[in-house]
Amino acid sequence: MNTTAAHHADFWFDPVCPWSWMTSRWMHEVEGVRPVTTRWHVMSLAILQDNPRLPRAYREMLRDARGPGRVCVAAAQEHGDEVVGPLYTALGTRFHNRGLPHTRAVVEDALRETGLPAGLADHLTSQVYEGALHDSHKAAVALVGDDVGTPVIALDGPSVPDRTAFFGPVVSPTPHGEAAGRLWDGVVLVASTPGFSELKRTRTRGPDFR
């Protein structure tokens, strides 16, 4: 695999998922040590796990968590896809690193930090872009199936003749520098292997946001 050639990575995340957040910070590290450019998209655990067999309280919790994803989609629809990455960083820093709730005030603060109108927080409850949220989510699921979670990464580049997509990696704490680059090399190599579908073990630690 040629790790010196430029690649584009499409990254689907749920803003409230701590594991998506950990992997997204890894992608930022990868961009510093490998010629990779990331394009950011939204998927939704609430949509993925909208299953009547799941406990009602769990489904309601996920339904309430859909709002930040709607805000990210609304920002992309109204201000362009390039705002999604910075907005996700602003939201994730508050939700995960600082442990703040998914309230309108917190979301408005993140919007202001990224130079976006605070009024986009209306989409925490508005369903104006619900269809766009579903479409973005379906684009990820179409690549990897519906029996995974977030994040999903799809890779385009000269070393990947057929587009490679995978769930994960799930990692804690986030690797930095060349360690992040080596993990990227390994993940892409394994995921690019014809017929490969899964590599997994039980998690032994929670998200470490340090």
Side-chain angles (χ1 to χ4, degrees), residues 3 74 79 81 127 146 158 165 167 174 207:
T3 61
H79 299 276
D81 293 337
Q127 297 196 19
D146 59 5
F167 158 64
T174 297

Side-chain angles (χ1 to χ4, degrees), residues 40 72-87 116 120:
W40 303 92
C72 290
V73 169
Q77 294 288 315
E78 297 184 12
H79 299 276
D81 293 337
E82 65 275 8
V83 306
V84 176
L87 177 56
L116 293 167
L120 284 170

Side-chain angles (χ1 to χ4, degrees), residues 11-83:
F11 188 111
W12 282 265
F13 63 91
D14 185 318
V16 304
C17 175
W19 296 108
S20 276
W21 177 245
M22 298 294 297
T23 307
S24 74
R25 299 311 91 184
W26 166 69
M27 279 304 307
H28 278 285
E29 291 287 321
V30 170
E31 287 181 320
V33 295
R34 295 292 185 271
V36 178
T37 302
T38 308
R39 298 174 291 212
W40 303 92
H41 313 275
V42 181
M43 64 185 298
S44 173
L45 288 174
I47 297 173
L48 190 68
Q49 301 189 23
D50 187 11
N51 185 332
R53 292 177 294 180
L54 293 172
R56 180 177 178 180
Y58 181 68
R59 287 187 288 122
E60 289 179 350
M61 181 273 292
L62 287 176
R63 190 178 301 116
D64 292 340
R66 191 179 299 195
R70 289 193 184 116
V71 172
C72 290
V73 169
Q77 294 288 315
E78 297 184 12
H79 299 276
D81 293 337
E82 65 275 8
V83 306

Side-chain angles (χ1 to χ4, degrees), residues 71 75 87 90 106-121:
V71 172
L87 177 56
V106 171
V107 171
E108 286 182 344
D109 188 50
L111 289 164
R112 283 190 290 267
E113 179 182 304
T114 50
L116 293 167
L120 284 170

Side-chain angles (χ1 to χ4, degrees), residues 134-197:
H134 277 262
D135 288 344
S136 182
H137 176 85
K138 288 177 183 176
V141 171
L143 293 170
V144 295
D146 59 5
D147 59 346
V148 297
T150 62
V152 167
I153 299 174
L155 180 68
D156 289 314
S159 66
V160 188
D162 297 316
R163 195 179 195 205
T164 295
F166 49 87
F167 158 64
V170 176
V171 60
S172 180
T174 297
H176 294 278
E178 185 57 25
R182 288 195 301 271
L183 177 58
W184 173 257
D185 298 340
V187 167
V188 173
L189 177 62
V190 170
S192 302
T193 301
F196 178 82
S197 61

